[in-house]
Amino acid sequence: MKATLDKAFGYQNNAMALPVASVDRAVSFYEQTLGFRIVSRSDTPHKTVVLARDAVQMALVESGGDPSQDGCAFHVTGLDALLDEFKVYGISKGAGEIGIEDHGGTTFRVFYVIAPDGLCYWFGEKQ
């Protein structure tokens, strides 16, 4: 089964404004390791790149924000396949074993990835 990202939820309520120190340094990780593609770039009001994969979009922004305090939650179809895909591309920081979490009465199988820029990503599949 091919893994897909179905929905994105920014931890600070905005997946389209994820802070990074350098868009140019960060973008290769998202393309080469997480499988995103560049949709657009902008320099105003801040340097920004919009990335997409499957049914989701998110944006990395040089806004001066703290990446260690932000990230996204992704609802996924095919969580095991996604973790296997990420491991092939060398994800080691934060990508551990799949765990179980309950959110609002819904059970998810989940794993986390911490990007080199410090953003944290939650990948979960409803059970």
Side-chain angles (χ1 to χ4, degrees):
M1 167 191 263
K2 182 184 182 300
T4 59
L5 305 184
D6 304 318
K7 294 180 184 175
F9 305 91
Y11 294 160
Q12 305 297 328
N13 298 317
N14 191 355
M16 299 304 287
L18 300 172
V20 294
S22 169
V23 165
D24 294 331
R25 283 195 311 266
V27 76
S28 65
F29 171 79
Y30 293 89
E31 287 182 301
Q32 297 169 11
T33 308
L34 298 185
F36 282 85
R37 70 185 192 301
I38 295 173
V39 173
S40 65
R41 289 181 178 266
S42 174
D43 288 325
T44 56
H46 303 285
K47 193 168 191 173
T48 303
V49 62
V50 176
L51 302 166
R53 175 177 172 161
D54 306 317
V56 303
Q57 286 192 353
M58 66 181 190
L60 305 177
V61 181
E62 290 180 17
S63 63
D66 181 357
S68 70
Q69 300 301 309
D70 212 341
C72 267
F74 295 104
H75 285 193
V76 174
T77 301
L79 189 73
D80 294 294
L82 186 65
L83 182 57
D84 289 345
E85 174 189 326
F86 287 173
K87 285 183 176 180
V88 166
Y89 291 111
I91 288 187
S92 57
K93 188 175 183 183
E97 296 302 312
I98 292 175
I100 302 291
E101 294 181 4
D102 183 75
H103 295 278
T106 302
T107 300
F108 290 86
R109 293 180 64 239
V110 305
F111 70 86
Y112 292 84
V113 170
I114 300 170
D117 52 44
L119 292 167
C120 179
Y121 296 100
W122 177 96
F123 297 90
E125 185 170 36
K126 284 184 186 180
Q127 297 303 288

